[in-house]
Amino acid sequence: DADVTQTPRNRITKTGKRIMLECSQTKGHDRMYWYRQDPGLGLRLIYYSFDVKDINKGEISDGYSVSRQAQAKFSLSLESAIPNQTALYFCATSDPGLAGGGTGELFFGEGSRLTVL
Amino acid sequence: AQSVTQPDIHITVSEGASLELRCNYSYGATPYLFWYVQSPGQGLQLLLKYFSGDTLVQGIKGFEAEFKRSQSSFNLRKPSVHWSDAAEYFCAVEGDSSYKLIFGSGTRLLVRP
């Protein structure tokens, strides 16, 4: 089984619908992230969480919300989806990072492709 | 603010040829630098990282990268490319915030038989 699992892997929805993307991990990491990938733009950080009670906005959080239900679970919601939220979404986990004495490596899920019509 | 530039959107090389993917960063202090690879339909996987010490770092799959402070660069190299190396490659920098990576826009590598 994958260390970081995202569901669904693919989703097509309509403008205005509420969508939830779920992420679960077995790495035992406290830190979890949601990124969005668009062609030519690389990965941009939407939200990140350092532990269950710590949630922070990334660079493109507008139109998104998150929930950290447990150490292992981090969900991303689009309350009212719009077409420019069509993208590939990645969940990732990490230890505290190089500056925090960790390895700095991010572990990614396989991605959730979302299409908003 | 830190940033990462990957000037090449696409690169095509022949199988067996050498490869160099460029990465330039902007950051005031010594950065932590990473290269990730994304195979089709997959998430990203760490190839290698630099945080201190020897400026030439070795990674998985035969890749290496060299940190050049004077040029603010961290270019990825491989002496002989295999068809399975076809993928998208991302350079990333972690700054003193220690909470996130900033990714470049990626370079897609195509390998000719």
Side-chain angles (χ1 to χ4, degrees):
Chain A
D1 290 339
D3 292 325
V4 183
T5 303
Q6 293 183 230
T7 57
R9 293 292 311 280
N10 289 282
R11 182 72 182 269
I12 300 174
T13 191
K14 295 181 179 180
T15 297
K17 293 293 188 181
R18 184 177 186 274
I19 294 297
M20 178 180 286
L21 306 180
E22 298 184 327
C23 177
S24 63
Q25 54 115 345
T26 59
K27 299 292 292 182
H29 290 155
D30 287 327
R31 297 187 175 193
M32 298 187 74
Y33 310 78
W34 275 104
Y35 284 91
R36 168 178 171 160
Q37 184 180 19
D38 298 277
L41 295 179
L43 277 77
R44 293 180 291 167
L45 184 63
I46 307 172
Y47 271 94
Y48 61 101
S49 170
F50 281 178
D51 64 39
V52 175
K53 297 181 180 179
D54 179 67
I55 293 178
N56 305 277
K57 294 182 178 180
E59 51 188 314
I60 55 163
S61 59
D62 288 348
Y64 301 95
S65 63
V66 290
S67 173
R68 186 81 184 266
Q69 300 95 325
Q71 186 206 35
K73 296 184 182 297
F74 192 36
S75 300
L76 176 72
S77 293
L78 289 67
E79 296 301 326
S80 179
I82 57 177
N84 76 1
Q85 291 178 313
T86 293
L88 184 57
Y89 291 85
F90 284 102
C91 176
T93 75
S94 77
D95 60 22
L98 290 170
T103 68
E105 181 174 358
L106 287 175
F107 293 86
F108 286 84
E110 293 184 324
S112 296
R113 185 167 297 281
L114 176 64
T115 302
V116 183
L117 302 176
Chain B
Q2 62 228 42
S3 65
V4 178
T5 302
Q6 293 181 248
D8 303 306
I9 298 174
H10 295 99
I11 283 186
T12 301
V13 300
S14 298
E15 190 169 16
S18 63
L19 170 70
E20 182 169 30
L21 302 182
R22 295 184 290 166
C23 172
N24 293 98
Y25 68 89
S26 173
Y27 184 65
T30 299
Y32 302 139
L33 295 160
F34 303 79
W35 275 99
Y36 282 82
V37 60
Q38 183 183 25
S39 298
Q42 301 295 315
L44 281 71
Q45 179 186 21
L46 180 68
L47 279 177
L48 48 78
K49 63 188 177 188
Y50 169 81
F51 56 96
S52 67
D54 193 347
T55 56
L56 183 63
V57 293
Q58 303 296 320
I60 62 171
K61 304 184 181 185
F63 286 92
E64 66 178 25
E66 186 170 14
F67 169 59
K68 293 185 177 180
R69 184 189 303 277
S70 62
Q71 298 177 18
S72 297
S73 69
F74 188 56
N75 294 348
L76 182 70
R77 301 194 295 248
K78 187 170 185 178
S80 179
V81 170
H82 187 263
W83 65 266
S84 60
D85 293 324
E88 189 154 20
Y89 293 80
F90 293 92
C91 183
V93 61
E94 177 185 334
D96 57 8
S97 62
S98 76
Y99 66 85
K100 66 177 183 180
L101 294 186
I102 301 296
F103 285 87
S105 56
T107 297
R108 183 167 298 279
L109 173 65
L110 303 175
V111 180
R112 281 193 296 256

mmCIF file of all heavy atoms in Angstrom, chain B residues 29-55:
data_model
loop_
_atom_site.group_PDB
_atom_site.id
_atom_site.type_symbol
_atom_site.label_atom_id
_atom_site.label_comp_id
_atom_site.label_asym_id
_atom_site.label_seq_id
_atom_site.Cartn_x
_atom_site.Cartn_y
_atom_site.Cartn_z
ATOM 1 N N ALA B 29 20.563 33.612 1.924
ATOM 2 C CA ALA B 29 21.534 32.809 2.662
ATOM 3 C C ALA B 29 21.772 31.502 1.918
ATOM 4 O O ALA B 29 21.335 31.329 0.780
ATOM 5 C CB ALA B 29 21.006 32.545 4.060
ATOM 6 N N THR B 30 22.469 30.578 2.551
ATOM 7 C CA THR B 30 22.669 29.273 1.935
ATOM 8 C C THR B 30 21.343 28.521 1.934
ATOM 9 O O THR B 30 20.761 28.290 2.990
ATOM 10 C CB THR B 30 23.717 28.463 2.699
ATOM 11 O OG1 THR B 30 24.950 29.177 2.662
ATOM 12 C CG2 THR B 30 23.904 27.102 2.035
ATOM 13 N N PRO B 31 20.878 28.158 0.774
ATOM 14 C CA PRO B 31 19.578 27.490 0.709
ATOM 15 C C PRO B 31 19.705 25.983 0.884
ATOM 16 O O PRO B 31 20.789 25.416 0.784
ATOM 17 C CB PRO B 31 19.116 27.815 -0.701
ATOM 18 C CG PRO B 31 20.404 27.814 -1.483
ATOM 19 C CD PRO B 31 21.459 28.367 -0.551
ATOM 20 N N TYR B 32 18.582 25.371 1.159
ATOM 21 C CA TYR B 32 18.473 23.930 1.036
ATOM 22 C C TYR B 32 17.849 23.673 -0.344
ATOM 23 O O TYR B 32 16.802 24.242 -0.665
ATOM 24 C CB TYR B 32 17.588 23.356 2.126
ATOM 25 C CG TYR B 32 18.060 23.655 3.522
ATOM 26 C CD1 TYR B 32 17.164 24.008 4.522
ATOM 27 C CD2 TYR B 32 19.413 23.583 3.858
ATOM 28 C CE1 TYR B 32 17.587 24.279 5.811
ATOM 29 C CE2 TYR B 32 19.846 23.853 5.145
ATOM 30 C CZ TYR B 32 18.925 24.200 6.116
ATOM 31 O OH TYR B 32 19.353 24.471 7.392
ATOM 32 N N LEU B 33 18.465 22.846 -1.149
ATOM 33 C CA LEU B 33 18.057 22.655 -2.542
ATOM 34 C C LEU B 33 17.725 21.204 -2.830
ATOM 35 O O LEU B 33 18.381 20.301 -2.303
ATOM 36 C CB LEU B 33 19.172 23.127 -3.478
ATOM 37 C CG LEU B 33 19.465 24.627 -3.420
ATOM 38 C CD1 LEU B 33 20.844 24.928 -3.957
ATOM 39 C CD2 LEU B 33 18.405 25.405 -4.176
ATOM 40 N N PHE B 34 16.740 21.006 -3.664
ATOM 41 C CA PHE B 34 16.230 19.677 -3.952
ATOM 42 C C PHE B 34 15.963 19.538 -5.455
ATOM 43 O O PHE B 34 15.634 20.506 -6.132
ATOM 44 C CB PHE B 34 14.896 19.438 -3.222
ATOM 45 C CG PHE B 34 14.941 19.600 -1.735
ATOM 46 C CD1 PHE B 34 14.925 20.864 -1.163
ATOM 47 C CD2 PHE B 34 14.978 18.496 -0.914
ATOM 48 C CE1 PHE B 34 14.953 21.020 0.218
ATOM 49 C CE2 PHE B 34 14.994 18.644 0.470
ATOM 50 C CZ PHE B 34 14.990 19.902 1.033
ATOM 51 N N TRP B 35 16.060 18.302 -5.931
ATOM 52 C CA TRP B 35 15.513 17.933 -7.219
ATOM 53 C C TRP B 35 14.539 16.776 -7.011
ATOM 54 O O TRP B 35 14.876 15.774 -6.355
ATOM 55 C CB TRP B 35 16.603 17.489 -8.194
ATOM 56 C CG TRP B 35 17.265 18.603 -8.919
ATOM 57 C CD1 TRP B 35 18.458 19.195 -8.631
ATOM 58 C CD2 TRP B 35 16.789 19.257 -10.093
ATOM 59 N NE1 TRP B 35 18.749 20.181 -9.536
ATOM 60 C CE2 TRP B 35 17.741 20.240 -10.446
ATOM 61 C CE3 TRP B 35 15.645 19.119 -10.892
ATOM 62 C CZ2 TRP B 35 17.591 21.074 -11.559
ATOM 63 C CZ3 TRP B 35 15.487 19.942 -11.989
ATOM 64 C CH2 TRP B 35 16.450 20.910 -12.316
ATOM 65 N N TYR B 36 13.341 16.957 -7.593
ATOM 66 C CA TYR B 36 12.320 15.921 -7.585
ATOM 67 C C TYR B 36 12.018 15.517 -9.026
ATOM 68 O O TYR B 36 12.118 16.331 -9.949
ATOM 69 C CB TYR B 36 11.030 16.429 -6.937
ATOM 70 C CG TYR B 36 11.039 16.470 -5.434
ATOM 71 C CD1 TYR B 36 11.620 17.541 -4.751
ATOM 72 C CD2 TYR B 36 10.478 15.444 -4.689
ATOM 73 C CE1 TYR B 36 11.617 17.570 -3.371
ATOM 74 C CE2 TYR B 36 10.477 15.474 -3.300
ATOM 75 C CZ TYR B 36 11.054 16.534 -2.652
ATOM 76 O OH TYR B 36 11.062 16.571 -1.273
ATOM 77 N N VAL B 37 11.577 14.261 -9.191
ATOM 78 C CA VAL B 37 11.178 13.773 -10.500
ATOM 79 C C VAL B 37 9.735 13.305 -10.431
ATOM 80 O O VAL B 37 9.307 12.706 -9.431
ATOM 81 C CB VAL B 37 12.105 12.641 -10.997
ATOM 82 C CG1 VAL B 37 12.088 11.452 -10.054
ATOM 83 C CG2 VAL B 37 11.711 12.196 -12.402
ATOM 84 N N GLN B 38 8.996 13.609 -11.480
ATOM 85 C CA GLN B 38 7.602 13.170 -11.583
ATOM 86 C C GLN B 38 7.430 12.347 -12.846
ATOM 87 O O GLN B 38 7.464 12.878 -13.953
ATOM 88 C CB GLN B 38 6.659 14.370 -11.601
ATOM 89 C CG GLN B 38 5.188 13.975 -11.639
ATOM 90 C CD GLN B 38 4.268 15.180 -11.722
ATOM 91 O OE1 GLN B 38 4.640 16.254 -12.189
ATOM 92 N NE2 GLN B 38 3.051 15.024 -11.249
ATOM 93 N N SER B 39 7.236 11.053 -12.678
ATOM 94 C CA SER B 39 6.942 10.190 -13.814
ATOM 95 C C SER B 39 5.467 10.315 -14.165
ATOM 96 O O SER B 39 4.662 10.690 -13.306
ATOM 97 C CB SER B 39 7.294 8.743 -13.478
ATOM 98 O OG SER B 39 8.680 8.634 -13.211
ATOM 99 N N PRO B 40 5.105 10.024 -15.400
ATOM 100 C CA PRO B 40 3.709 10.184 -15.821
ATOM 101 C C PRO B 40 2.732 9.466 -14.893
ATOM 102 O O PRO B 40 2.921 8.300 -14.565
ATOM 103 C CB PRO B 40 3.709 9.569 -17.225
ATOM 104 C CG PRO B 40 5.103 9.762 -17.708
ATOM 105 C CD PRO B 40 5.976 9.589 -16.498
ATOM 106 N N GLY B 41 1.712 10.188 -14.447
ATOM 107 C CA GLY B 41 0.678 9.612 -13.594
ATOM 108 C C GLY B 41 1.107 9.343 -12.168
ATOM 109 O O GLY B 41 0.373 8.690 -11.408
ATOM 110 N N GLN B 42 2.257 9.867 -11.803
ATOM 111 C CA GLN B 42 2.783 9.613 -10.466
ATOM 112 C C GLN B 42 2.963 10.906 -9.691
ATOM 113 O O GLN B 42 2.959 12.000 -10.254
ATOM 114 C CB GLN B 42 4.130 8.893 -10.550
ATOM 115 C CG GLN B 42 4.095 7.566 -11.274
ATOM 116 C CD GLN B 42 3.258 6.543 -10.554
ATOM 117 O OE1 GLN B 42 3.355 6.389 -9.338
ATOM 118 N NE2 GLN B 42 2.393 5.847 -11.276
ATOM 119 N N GLY B 43 3.143 10.753 -8.398
ATOM 120 C CA GLY B 43 3.544 11.888 -7.586
ATOM 121 C C GLY B 43 5.024 12.145 -7.754
ATOM 122 O O GLY B 43 5.706 11.510 -8.550
ATOM 123 N N LEU B 44 5.533 13.098 -7.008
ATOM 124 C CA LEU B 44 6.940 13.460 -7.106
ATOM 125 C C LEU B 44 7.784 12.590 -6.190
ATOM 126 O O LEU B 44 7.371 12.222 -5.094
ATOM 127 C CB LEU B 44 7.133 14.927 -6.728
ATOM 128 C CG LEU B 44 6.789 15.958 -7.796
ATOM 129 C CD1 LEU B 44 5.295 16.056 -8.033
ATOM 130 C CD2 LEU B 44 7.363 17.319 -7.420
ATOM 131 N N GLN B 45 8.999 12.304 -6.655
ATOM 132 C CA GLN B 45 9.945 11.508 -5.883
ATOM 133 C C GLN B 45 11.245 12.274 -5.755
ATOM 134 O O GLN B 45 11.729 12.857 -6.737
ATOM 135 C CB GLN B 45 10.183 10.163 -6.582
ATOM 136 C CG GLN B 45 11.180 9.264 -5.863
ATOM 137 C CD GLN B 45 11.502 8.011 -6.650
ATOM 138 O OE1 GLN B 45 11.314 7.929 -7.866
ATOM 139 N NE2 GLN B 45 11.993 6.989 -5.961
ATOM 140 N N LEU B 46 11.839 12.246 -4.573
ATOM 141 C CA LEU B 46 13.093 12.958 -4.346
ATOM 142 C C LEU B 46 14.239 12.269 -5.076
ATOM 143 O O LEU B 46 14.442 11.061 -4.939
ATOM 144 C CB LEU B 46 13.396 13.017 -2.854
ATOM 145 C CG LEU B 46 14.678 13.733 -2.467
ATOM 146 C CD1 LEU B 46 14.569 15.231 -2.757
ATOM 147 C CD2 LEU B 46 15.008 13.494 -0.997
ATOM 148 N N LEU B 47 14.990 13.045 -5.860
ATOM 149 C CA LEU B 47 16.194 12.543 -6.523
ATOM 150 C C LEU B 47 17.435 12.787 -5.668
ATOM 151 O O LEU B 47 18.270 11.906 -5.508
ATOM 152 C CB LEU B 47 16.401 13.254 -7.859
ATOM 153 C CG LEU B 47 15.609 12.778 -9.076
ATOM 154 C CD1 LEU B 47 15.918 13.667 -10.263
ATOM 155 C CD2 LEU B 47 15.910 11.327 -9.391
ATOM 156 N N LEU B 48 17.562 14.009 -5.168
ATOM 157 C CA LEU B 48 18.720 14.368 -4.365
ATOM 158 C C LEU B 48 18.471 15.704 -3.677
ATOM 159 O O LEU B 48 17.513 16.401 -4.013
ATOM 160 C CB LEU B 48 19.992 14.437 -5.214
ATOM 161 C CG LEU B 48 19.949 15.204 -6.525
ATOM 162 C CD1 LEU B 48 20.033 16.702 -6.319
ATOM 163 C CD2 LEU B 48 21.061 14.739 -7.463
ATOM 164 N N LYS B 49 19.367 16.030 -2.743
ATOM 165 C CA LYS B 49 19.228 17.290 -2.016
ATOM 166 C C LYS B 49 20.596 17.791 -1.589
ATOM 167 O O LYS B 49 21.550 17.015 -1.448
ATOM 168 C CB LYS B 49 18.335 17.109 -0.789
ATOM 169 C CG LYS B 49 18.919 16.138 0.233
ATOM 170 C CD LYS B 49 17.912 15.838 1.334
ATOM 171 C CE LYS B 49 18.507 14.807 2.290
ATOM 172 N NZ LYS B 49 17.487 14.325 3.270
ATOM 173 N N TYR B 50 20.682 19.091 -1.394
ATOM 174 C CA TYR B 50 21.884 19.719 -0.892
ATOM 175 C C TYR B 50 21.509 20.590 0.302
ATOM 176 O O TYR B 50 20.572 21.389 0.231
ATOM 177 C CB TYR B 50 22.543 20.596 -1.956
ATOM 178 C CG TYR B 50 23.633 21.455 -1.386
ATOM 179 C CD1 TYR B 50 24.892 20.937 -1.157
ATOM 180 C CD2 TYR B 50 23.378 22.774 -1.009
ATOM 181 C CE1 TYR B 50 25.885 21.718 -0.588
ATOM 182 C CE2 TYR B 50 24.361 23.559 -0.440
ATOM 183 C CZ TYR B 50 25.608 23.022 -0.228
ATOM 184 O OH TYR B 50 26.586 23.785 0.355
ATOM 185 N N PHE B 51 22.283 20.449 1.385
ATOM 186 C CA PHE B 51 22.063 21.371 2.492
ATOM 187 C C PHE B 51 23.361 21.886 3.079
ATOM 188 O O PHE B 51 23.379 22.925 3.738
ATOM 189 C CB PHE B 51 21.181 20.758 3.573
ATOM 190 C CG PHE B 51 21.665 19.465 4.150
ATOM 191 C CD1 PHE B 51 22.387 19.438 5.325
ATOM 192 C CD2 PHE B 51 21.388 18.265 3.523
ATOM 193 C CE1 PHE B 51 22.809 18.248 5.856
ATOM 194 C CE2 PHE B 51 21.811 17.065 4.055
ATOM 195 C CZ PHE B 51 22.525 17.050 5.223
ATOM 196 N N SER B 52 24.477 21.213 2.882
ATOM 197 C CA SER B 52 25.756 21.717 3.361
ATOM 198 C C SER B 52 26.847 20.780 2.857
ATOM 199 O O SER B 52 26.564 19.726 2.297
ATOM 200 C CB SER B 52 25.802 21.801 4.895
ATOM 201 O OG SER B 52 25.764 20.500 5.446
ATOM 202 N N GLY B 53 28.096 21.196 3.069
ATOM 203 C CA GLY B 53 29.195 20.301 2.761
ATOM 204 C C GLY B 53 29.544 20.261 1.291
ATOM 205 O O GLY B 53 29.495 21.283 0.596
ATOM 206 N N ASP B 54 29.886 19.090 0.823
ATOM 207 C CA ASP B 54 30.323 18.907 -0.551
ATOM 208 C C ASP B 54 29.288 19.470 -1.522
ATOM 209 O O ASP B 54 28.102 19.146 -1.433
ATOM 210 C CB ASP B 54 30.532 17.420 -0.824
ATOM 211 C CG ASP B 54 31.288 17.170 -2.130
ATOM 212 O OD1 ASP B 54 31.423 18.116 -2.935
ATOM 213 O OD2 ASP B 54 31.736 16.029 -2.343
ATOM 214 N N THR B 55 29.748 20.299 -2.430
ATOM 215 C CA THR B 55 28.809 20.958 -3.348
ATOM 216 C C THR B 55 28.346 20.051 -4.474
ATOM 217 O O THR B 55 27.427 20.408 -5.203
ATOM 218 C CB THR B 55 29.445 22.218 -3.946
ATOM 219 O OG1 THR B 55 30.673 21.869 -4.590
ATOM 220 C CG2 THR B 55 29.729 23.245 -2.852
#
